[in-house]
Amino acid sequence: MTSKKVIELFYDVVSPYSWLGFEVMCRYRHVWNIELKLCPAFLGGVMQGSGNKPPGVVPNKFMYMTKDLKRAAEYFDVPLQAPADPFEVMFKKGSLSAMRFVTAVQEQEKGGDKLVEQVSRELWRRIWSEDKDITEAASLAEAAKKAGLSDGVIKDALETAASKEIKDKLKDATQKALDYGAFGFPLLVYHRNGSPEIFFGSDRFELLAHCIGEETESFIFSLTTVPSPFKFMAHLG
Ligand SMILES: N[C@@H](CCC(=O)N[C@@H](CS)C(=O)NCC(=O)O)C(=O)O
């Protein structure tokens, strides 16, 4: 039995704050005594199921988020840049097919989550760094190829992404987030003695560290010392 504390991370690649939360948790899974479970889900379903509205539809929130994301991306060292038309990207095109694809990759990977981690990161990079499409099959395949998936895995994932099994799996993950009390993403769920405690957003890490018994001070200082993969990848071109 693992002595590690289990933390689930619910996210959607349409959500820029999820990208920040995802990168920080992927870095800290190696520093904290935790087992991180990646839980791809559908933010649109969480919004609908919880009766919430995307923050971007309130003009002042949209303006705040635009600035806040810029400084948070710099702080967390994530190459996040808003697309030219965030409304089209987030609300017209959306992420349903992309999240089904990520779910299909996760299903194929059974047990591990390296491919899910990498393919999620490449999809975020497309939408939230390079202003590229994530709805077409060719776009998903390109992201998966960049993430290091083999042609066979990509072909299978594209085929199964449209199956009832995968659609239901994504629905179940979304419902699970709602059952925990989600109203937005990222959602972190810490299982404290078998009882789930939820944290919303990428700005709750100090509190999470405190709750899981990790040193808050070391977290703050090591924010800049835990290597960001992006610096390393920049050298690779
Ligand atoms: N303060 C949070 C904001 C997170 C956030 O706005 N997430 C969006 C998706 S990108 C959301 O689901 N918002 C729901 C809400 O604000 O009610 C952070 O810094 O991470």
Side-chain angles (χ1 to χ4, degrees):
M1 231 186 70
T2 175
S3 64
K4 292 187 171 192
K5 286 156 184 150
V6 176
I7 295 181
E8 291 174 297
L9 168 62
F10 289 85
Y11 66 90
D12 184 321
V13 298
V14 81
S15 153
Y17 284 108
S18 290
W19 192 12
L20 303 177
F22 170 93
E23 293 300 349
V24 172
M25 290 309 295
C26 284
R27 290 172 205 171
Y28 274 80
R29 75 200 301 184
H30 306 297
V31 178
W32 291 341
N33 185 31
I34 58 167
E35 181 190 338
L36 180 66
K37 292 192 171 169
L38 298 179
C39 305
F42 183 50
L43 183 57
V46 164
M47 287 293 164
Q48 204 180 24
S50 62
N52 199 358
K53 283 193 175 57
V57 299
V58 178
N60 277 1
K61 272 195 190 175
F62 179 78
M63 266 152 37
Y64 173 79
M65 278 174 65
T66 308
K67 288 216 167 101
D68 186 54
L69 280 168
K70 217 165 166 236
R71 66 190 171 200
E74 194 189 307
Y75 178 67
F76 290 124
D77 196 12
V78 174
L80 188 152
Q81 258 186 331
D85 187 346
F87 275 91
E88 194 201 4
V89 165
M90 288 192 282
F91 306 128
K92 277 200 200 142
K93 292 178 116 186
S95 58
L96 189 55
S97 54
M99 294 317 290
R100 283 179 179 156
F101 182 68
V102 174
T103 305
V105 171
Q106 187 173 51
E107 190 61 12
Q108 291 204 24
E109 206 179 1
K110 285 220 186 312
D113 61 11
K114 200 71 214 152
L115 297 184
V116 172
E117 177 185 332
Q118 282 163 353
V119 84
S120 301
R121 180 174 291 121
E122 289 310 326
L123 287 167
W124 263 307
R125 196 198 299 274
R126 283 184 77 85
I127 172 172
W128 279 104
S129 193
E130 297 171 349
D131 200 358
K132 287 183 179 160
D133 172 77
I134 58 156
T135 62
E136 305 288 334
S139 309
L140 301 174
E142 208 175 289
K145 190 97 189 146
K146 221 172 156 198
L149 275 68
S150 70
D151 289 342
V153 172
I154 297 173
K155 188 171 170 282
D156 284 357
L158 283 173
E159 272 167 23
T160 54
S163 68
K164 182 171 181 328
E165 187 200 344
I166 295 299
K167 286 180 182 172
D168 285 350
K169 200 171 173 243
L170 182 63
K171 265 191 209 152
D172 291 349
T174 305
Q175 188 56 50
K176 194 172 172 193
L178 281 166
D179 292 344
Y180 280 137
F183 53 87
F185 282 167
L187 183 82
L188 287 153
V189 185
Y190 164 42
H191 292 266
R192 193 201 286 257
N193 302 326
S195 152
E197 197 164 318
I198 66 170
F199 299 81
F200 162 67
S202 57
D203 51 3
R204 285 290 174 268
F205 297 118
E206 282 94 339
L207 198 55
L208 175 66
H210 172 73
C211 291
I212 64 175
E214 296 286 347
E215 284 296 309
T216 310
E217 284 84 356
S218 78
F219 168 70
I220 291 170
F221 291 126
S222 57
L223 246 184
T224 49
T225 57
V226 172
S228 148
F230 298 107
K231 281 219 172 83
F232 173 67
M233 287 186 313
H235 294 295
L236 301 176

Short mmCIF file of all heavy atoms in Angstrom, two decimals, residues 111-157:
data_model
loop_
_atom_site.label_atom_id
_atom_site.label_comp_id
_atom_site.label_asym_id
_atom_site.label_seq_id
_atom_site.Cartn_x
_atom_site.Cartn_y
_atom_site.Cartn_z
N GLY A 111 -3.05 2.49 -16.50
CA GLY A 111 -2.07 2.41 -15.41
C GLY A 111 -1.09 3.57 -15.42
O GLY A 111 -0.99 4.29 -14.44
N GLY A 112 -0.43 3.83 -16.54
CA GLY A 112 0.54 4.93 -16.59
C GLY A 112 -0.15 6.24 -16.95
O GLY A 112 -1.32 6.24 -17.31
N ASP A 113 0.59 7.34 -16.86
CA ASP A 113 -0.01 8.60 -17.33
C ASP A 113 1.00 9.51 -18.03
O ASP A 113 0.77 10.68 -18.19
CB ASP A 113 -0.75 9.34 -16.21
CG ASP A 113 0.17 9.74 -15.08
OD1 ASP A 113 1.40 9.63 -15.24
OD2 ASP A 113 -0.34 10.17 -14.03
N LYS A 114 2.11 8.91 -18.47
CA LYS A 114 3.14 9.72 -19.14
C LYS A 114 2.61 10.27 -20.47
O LYS A 114 2.82 11.43 -20.80
CB LYS A 114 4.37 8.82 -19.38
CG LYS A 114 5.65 9.55 -19.61
CD LYS A 114 6.18 10.22 -18.35
CE LYS A 114 6.89 11.51 -18.71
NZ LYS A 114 6.86 12.53 -17.64
N LEU A 115 1.93 9.39 -21.24
CA LEU A 115 1.42 9.84 -22.54
C LEU A 115 0.32 10.87 -22.37
O LEU A 115 0.24 11.85 -23.10
CB LEU A 115 0.91 8.64 -23.35
CG LEU A 115 1.94 7.57 -23.72
CD1 LEU A 115 1.33 6.50 -24.60
CD2 LEU A 115 3.16 8.19 -24.41
N VAL A 116 -0.56 10.63 -21.38
CA VAL A 116 -1.64 11.60 -21.12
C VAL A 116 -1.03 12.95 -20.75
O VAL A 116 -1.48 13.99 -21.22
CB VAL A 116 -2.56 11.09 -19.98
CG1 VAL A 116 -3.55 12.18 -19.58
CG2 VAL A 116 -3.31 9.86 -20.43
N GLU A 117 0.01 12.90 -19.92
CA GLU A 117 0.67 14.15 -19.51
C GLU A 117 1.21 14.87 -20.75
O GLU A 117 0.97 16.06 -20.95
CB GLU A 117 1.82 13.84 -18.53
CG GLU A 117 2.58 15.10 -18.13
CD GLU A 117 3.80 14.82 -17.24
OE1 GLU A 117 3.81 13.81 -16.51
OE2 GLU A 117 4.73 15.64 -17.29
N GLN A 118 1.91 14.12 -21.59
CA GLN A 118 2.56 14.78 -22.72
C GLN A 118 1.58 15.26 -23.79
O GLN A 118 1.72 16.35 -24.34
CB GLN A 118 3.60 13.83 -23.32
CG GLN A 118 4.86 13.83 -22.46
CD GLN A 118 5.77 12.66 -22.72
OE1 GLN A 118 5.41 11.74 -23.45
NE2 GLN A 118 6.93 12.66 -22.11
N VAL A 119 0.56 14.45 -24.04
CA VAL A 119 -0.40 14.85 -25.07
C VAL A 119 -1.24 16.04 -24.58
O VAL A 119 -1.55 16.96 -25.35
CB VAL A 119 -1.26 13.66 -25.56
CG1 VAL A 119 -2.46 13.38 -24.68
CG2 VAL A 119 -1.74 13.89 -26.99
N SER A 120 -1.56 16.08 -23.30
CA SER A 120 -2.30 17.22 -22.75
C SER A 120 -1.47 18.49 -22.91
O SER A 120 -1.97 19.53 -23.36
CB SER A 120 -2.63 17.00 -21.26
OG SER A 120 -3.39 15.84 -21.08
N ARG A 121 -0.19 18.38 -22.54
CA ARG A 121 0.71 19.55 -22.64
C ARG A 121 0.79 20.06 -24.08
O ARG A 121 0.74 21.25 -24.33
CB ARG A 121 2.09 19.16 -22.14
CG ARG A 121 3.09 20.28 -22.20
CD ARG A 121 4.40 19.88 -21.54
NE ARG A 121 4.28 19.73 -20.11
CZ ARG A 121 4.54 18.61 -19.43
NH1 ARG A 121 4.97 17.54 -20.06
NH2 ARG A 121 4.39 18.56 -18.13
N GLU A 122 0.87 19.13 -25.04
CA GLU A 122 0.99 19.56 -26.44
C GLU A 122 -0.31 20.19 -26.95
O GLU A 122 -0.28 21.09 -27.79
CB GLU A 122 1.41 18.39 -27.34
CG GLU A 122 2.85 17.95 -27.14
CD GLU A 122 3.87 19.10 -27.20
OE1 GLU A 122 3.67 20.06 -27.96
OE2 GLU A 122 4.87 19.03 -26.46
N LEU A 123 -1.44 19.71 -26.44
CA LEU A 123 -2.72 20.34 -26.84
C LEU A 123 -2.83 21.73 -26.25
O LEU A 123 -3.25 22.67 -26.93
CB LEU A 123 -3.90 19.45 -26.41
CG LEU A 123 -4.06 18.18 -27.25
CD1 LEU A 123 -5.02 17.19 -26.60
CD2 LEU A 123 -4.55 18.52 -28.67
N TRP A 124 -2.42 21.87 -24.98
CA TRP A 124 -2.41 23.23 -24.39
C TRP A 124 -1.48 24.13 -25.18
O TRP A 124 -1.79 25.29 -25.42
CB TRP A 124 -1.92 23.17 -22.94
CG TRP A 124 -2.99 23.13 -21.93
CD1 TRP A 124 -4.05 24.01 -21.80
CD2 TRP A 124 -3.13 22.18 -20.86
NE1 TRP A 124 -4.81 23.66 -20.72
CE2 TRP A 124 -4.28 22.55 -20.12
CE3 TRP A 124 -2.39 21.08 -20.44
CZ2 TRP A 124 -4.71 21.85 -19.01
CZ3 TRP A 124 -2.81 20.39 -19.34
CH2 TRP A 124 -3.96 20.76 -18.62
N ARG A 125 -0.32 23.59 -25.53
CA ARG A 125 0.64 24.42 -26.27
C ARG A 125 0.02 24.91 -27.58
O ARG A 125 0.19 26.07 -27.96
CB ARG A 125 1.90 23.61 -26.55
CG ARG A 125 3.08 24.48 -26.95
CD ARG A 125 4.15 23.69 -27.62
NE ARG A 125 4.70 22.66 -26.77
CZ ARG A 125 5.69 22.86 -25.90
NH1 ARG A 125 6.19 24.06 -25.75
NH2 ARG A 125 6.17 21.87 -25.19
N ARG A 126 -0.71 24.02 -28.25
CA ARG A 126 -1.34 24.44 -29.51
C ARG A 126 -2.32 25.59 -29.29
O ARG A 126 -2.24 26.63 -29.94
CB ARG A 126 -2.11 23.27 -30.15
CG ARG A 126 -1.24 22.26 -30.84
CD ARG A 126 -2.09 21.21 -31.51
NE ARG A 126 -2.69 21.70 -32.76
CZ ARG A 126 -2.08 21.68 -33.93
NH1 ARG A 126 -0.88 21.18 -34.04
NH2 ARG A 126 -2.68 22.14 -35.01
N ILE A 127 -3.24 25.36 -28.35
CA ILE A 127 -4.33 26.33 -28.19
C ILE A 127 -3.88 27.57 -27.43
O ILE A 127 -4.18 28.68 -27.81
CB ILE A 127 -5.58 25.63 -27.56
CG1 ILE A 127 -6.70 26.57 -27.17
CG2 ILE A 127 -5.26 24.81 -26.37
CD1 ILE A 127 -7.96 25.84 -26.73
N TRP A 128 -3.11 27.38 -26.35
CA TRP A 128 -2.79 28.49 -25.45
C TRP A 128 -1.35 29.00 -25.59
O TRP A 128 -0.85 29.69 -24.70
CB TRP A 128 -3.09 28.11 -23.99
CG TRP A 128 -4.55 28.27 -23.72
CD1 TRP A 128 -5.47 27.28 -23.62
CD2 TRP A 128 -5.26 29.51 -23.57
NE1 TRP A 128 -6.72 27.83 -23.42
CE2 TRP A 128 -6.62 29.18 -23.38
CE3 TRP A 128 -4.88 30.86 -23.58
CZ2 TRP A 128 -7.60 30.16 -23.19
CZ3 TRP A 128 -5.87 31.83 -23.39
CH2 TRP A 128 -7.20 31.48 -23.21
N SER A 129 -0.68 28.64 -26.69
CA SER A 129 0.66 29.21 -26.88
C SER A 129 0.86 29.56 -28.35
O SER A 129 1.41 30.60 -28.68
CB SER A 129 1.72 28.20 -26.43
OG SER A 129 2.97 28.82 -26.32
N GLU A 130 0.34 28.66 -29.22
CA GLU A 130 0.62 28.84 -30.65
C GLU A 130 -0.60 29.25 -31.45
O GLU A 130 -0.52 29.41 -32.67
CB GLU A 130 1.21 27.52 -31.20
CG GLU A 130 2.53 27.16 -30.54
CD GLU A 130 3.02 25.75 -30.89
OE1 GLU A 130 2.23 24.96 -31.47
OE2 GLU A 130 4.17 25.45 -30.57
N ASP A 131 -1.74 29.39 -30.79
CA ASP A 131 -2.99 29.79 -31.46
C ASP A 131 -3.33 28.86 -32.63
O ASP A 131 -3.62 29.31 -33.73
CB ASP A 131 -2.90 31.25 -31.92
CG ASP A 131 -4.30 31.86 -32.15
OD1 ASP A 131 -5.29 31.12 -31.99
OD2 ASP A 131 -4.37 33.06 -32.50
N LYS A 132 -3.23 27.55 -32.36
CA LYS A 132 -3.53 26.57 -33.41
C LYS A 132 -4.79 25.79 -33.03
O LYS A 132 -5.13 25.66 -31.85
CB LYS A 132 -2.36 25.60 -33.55
CG LYS A 132 -1.14 26.19 -34.21
CD LYS A 132 -0.09 25.10 -34.37
CE LYS A 132 1.16 25.61 -35.06
NZ LYS A 132 2.30 24.74 -34.81
N ASP A 133 -5.37 25.18 -34.04
CA ASP A 133 -6.60 24.41 -33.86
C ASP A 133 -6.38 23.15 -33.01
O ASP A 133 -5.31 22.54 -33.04
CB ASP A 133 -7.08 23.99 -35.26
CG ASP A 133 -8.25 23.04 -35.18
OD1 ASP A 133 -9.36 23.51 -34.91
OD2 ASP A 133 -8.04 21.82 -35.36
N ILE A 134 -7.42 22.77 -32.23
CA ILE A 134 -7.37 21.46 -31.54
C ILE A 134 -8.67 20.68 -31.79
O ILE A 134 -9.01 19.79 -31.01
CB ILE A 134 -7.12 21.58 -30.01
CG1 ILE A 134 -8.20 22.43 -29.32
CG2 ILE A 134 -5.74 22.11 -29.70
CD1 ILE A 134 -8.35 22.11 -27.84
N THR A 135 -9.39 21.04 -32.85
CA THR A 135 -10.67 20.34 -33.08
C THR A 135 -10.58 19.29 -34.21
O THR A 135 -11.30 18.31 -34.19
CB THR A 135 -11.80 21.34 -33.43
OG1 THR A 135 -11.45 22.02 -34.64
CG2 THR A 135 -12.01 22.35 -32.32
N GLU A 136 -9.70 19.53 -35.18
CA GLU A 136 -9.59 18.60 -36.32
C GLU A 136 -8.76 17.37 -35.95
O GLU A 136 -7.81 17.49 -35.16
CB GLU A 136 -8.88 19.29 -37.50
CG GLU A 136 -9.50 20.60 -37.94
CD GLU A 136 -10.82 20.38 -38.67
OE1 GLU A 136 -11.00 19.29 -39.24
OE2 GLU A 136 -11.65 21.30 -38.64
N ALA A 137 -9.06 16.25 -36.59
CA ALA A 137 -8.31 15.01 -36.34
C ALA A 137 -6.82 15.23 -36.64
O ALA A 137 -5.95 14.76 -35.89
CB ALA A 137 -8.86 13.87 -37.18
N ALA A 138 -6.53 15.97 -37.71
CA ALA A 138 -5.13 16.20 -38.08
C ALA A 138 -4.40 17.00 -36.99
O ALA A 138 -3.21 16.77 -36.73
CB ALA A 138 -5.05 16.94 -39.41
N SER A 139 -5.12 17.92 -36.34
CA SER A 139 -4.51 18.73 -35.28
C SER A 139 -4.19 17.85 -34.07
O SER A 139 -3.13 17.97 -33.46
CB SER A 139 -5.46 19.84 -34.82
OG SER A 139 -5.94 20.57 -35.92
N LEU A 140 -5.13 16.95 -33.74
CA LEU A 140 -4.92 16.07 -32.59
C LEU A 140 -3.74 15.14 -32.86
O LEU A 140 -2.89 14.91 -31.98
CB LEU A 140 -6.19 15.24 -32.32
CG LEU A 140 -7.46 16.06 -32.02
CD1 LEU A 140 -8.68 15.14 -31.91
CD2 LEU A 140 -7.30 16.86 -30.73
N ALA A 141 -3.69 14.64 -34.10
CA ALA A 141 -2.60 13.73 -34.47
C ALA A 141 -1.25 14.44 -34.40
O ALA A 141 -0.26 13.88 -33.93
CB ALA A 141 -2.84 13.18 -35.88
N GLU A 142 -1.24 15.71 -34.85
CA GLU A 142 0.01 16.47 -34.83
C GLU A 142 0.50 16.68 -33.40
O GLU A 142 1.69 16.50 -33.10
CB GLU A 142 -0.24 17.82 -35.50
CG GLU A 142 0.97 18.43 -36.16
CD GLU A 142 0.59 19.70 -36.91
OE1 GLU A 142 -0.08 19.59 -37.95
OE2 GLU A 142 0.96 20.79 -36.43
N ALA A 143 -0.44 17.01 -32.51
CA ALA A 143 -0.08 17.22 -31.09
C ALA A 143 0.44 15.91 -30.50
O ALA A 143 1.44 15.90 -29.77
CB ALA A 143 -1.29 17.72 -30.30
N ALA A 144 -0.24 14.80 -30.83
CA ALA A 144 0.14 13.50 -30.27
C ALA A 144 1.52 13.06 -30.77
O ALA A 144 2.32 12.50 -30.03
CB ALA A 144 -0.92 12.46 -30.61
N LYS A 145 1.77 13.36 -32.03
CA LYS A 145 3.07 13.01 -32.62
C LYS A 145 4.17 13.77 -31.89
O LYS A 145 5.20 13.22 -31.53
CB LYS A 145 3.03 13.39 -34.11
CG LYS A 145 4.18 12.90 -34.91
CD LYS A 145 3.82 11.60 -35.64
CE LYS A 145 5.06 11.01 -36.25
NZ LYS A 145 5.10 9.58 -36.27
N LYS A 146 3.91 15.06 -31.67
CA LYS A 146 4.88 15.90 -30.96
C LYS A 146 5.10 15.40 -29.53
O LYS A 146 6.18 15.53 -28.96
CB LYS A 146 4.39 17.35 -30.95
CG LYS A 146 5.50 18.33 -31.19
CD LYS A 146 5.03 19.73 -31.37
CE LYS A 146 6.16 20.67 -31.02
NZ LYS A 146 5.73 22.02 -30.75
N ALA A 147 4.03 14.82 -28.98
CA ALA A 147 4.11 14.31 -27.61
C ALA A 147 4.84 12.98 -27.54
O ALA A 147 5.06 12.45 -26.46
CB ALA A 147 2.70 14.16 -27.03
N GLY A 148 5.17 12.43 -28.70
CA GLY A 148 5.95 11.20 -28.73
C GLY A 148 5.13 9.93 -28.84
O GLY A 148 5.65 8.83 -28.64
N LEU A 149 3.83 10.05 -29.15
CA LEU A 149 3.00 8.85 -29.30
C LEU A 149 3.30 8.18 -30.63
O LEU A 149 3.59 8.85 -31.62
CB LEU A 149 1.50 9.22 -29.24
CG LEU A 149 0.89 9.33 -27.84
CD1 LEU A 149 1.44 10.52 -27.09
CD2 LEU A 149 -0.62 9.44 -27.93
N SER A 150 3.22 6.86 -30.64
CA SER A 150 3.50 6.14 -31.89
C SER A 150 2.31 6.30 -32.85
O SER A 150 1.19 6.59 -32.42
CB SER A 150 3.72 4.66 -31.60
OG SER A 150 2.48 4.08 -31.22
N ASP A 151 2.57 6.05 -34.13
CA ASP A 151 1.49 6.17 -35.13
C ASP A 151 0.33 5.23 -34.79
O ASP A 151 -0.84 5.58 -34.96
CB ASP A 151 2.03 5.84 -36.53
CG ASP A 151 2.96 6.94 -37.02
OD1 ASP A 151 2.91 8.05 -36.45
OD2 ASP A 151 3.76 6.69 -37.95
N GLY A 152 0.66 4.02 -34.29
CA GLY A 152 -0.38 3.05 -33.95
C GLY A 152 -1.27 3.55 -32.82
O GLY A 152 -2.51 3.46 -32.90
N VAL A 153 -0.66 4.09 -31.78
CA VAL A 153 -1.44 4.60 -30.64
C VAL A 153 -2.30 5.77 -31.10
O VAL A 153 -3.48 5.89 -30.73
CB VAL A 153 -0.50 5.02 -29.47
CG1 VAL A 153 -1.26 5.73 -28.37
CG2 VAL A 153 0.21 3.81 -28.90
N ILE A 154 -1.74 6.64 -31.95
CA ILE A 154 -2.48 7.81 -32.43
C ILE A 154 -3.71 7.35 -33.24
O ILE A 154 -4.83 7.83 -33.02
CB ILE A 154 -1.59 8.74 -33.29
CG1 ILE A 154 -0.45 9.30 -32.43
CG2 ILE A 154 -2.40 9.86 -33.91
CD1 ILE A 154 0.60 10.09 -33.20
N LYS A 155 -3.49 6.38 -34.12
CA LYS A 155 -4.59 5.89 -34.97
C LYS A 155 -5.70 5.29 -34.09
O LYS A 155 -6.89 5.62 -34.25
CB LYS A 155 -4.03 4.83 -35.94
CG LYS A 155 -5.00 4.37 -37.00
CD LYS A 155 -4.27 3.51 -38.03
CE LYS A 155 -5.23 2.82 -38.96
NZ LYS A 155 -5.88 1.65 -38.40
N ASP A 156 -5.31 4.46 -33.14
CA ASP A 156 -6.31 3.84 -32.25
C ASP A 156 -7.05 4.88 -31.44
O ASP A 156 -8.27 4.81 -31.27
CB ASP A 156 -5.62 2.86 -31.28
CG ASP A 156 -5.24 1.56 -31.97
OD1 ASP A 156 -5.57 1.42 -33.16
OD2 ASP A 156 -4.61 0.71 -31.32
N ALA A 157 -6.30 5.85 -30.91
CA ALA A 157 -6.94 6.87 -30.06
C ALA A 157 -7.92 7.71 -30.87
O ALA A 157 -9.01 8.04 -30.40
CB ALA A 157 -5.87 7.75 -29.41
#
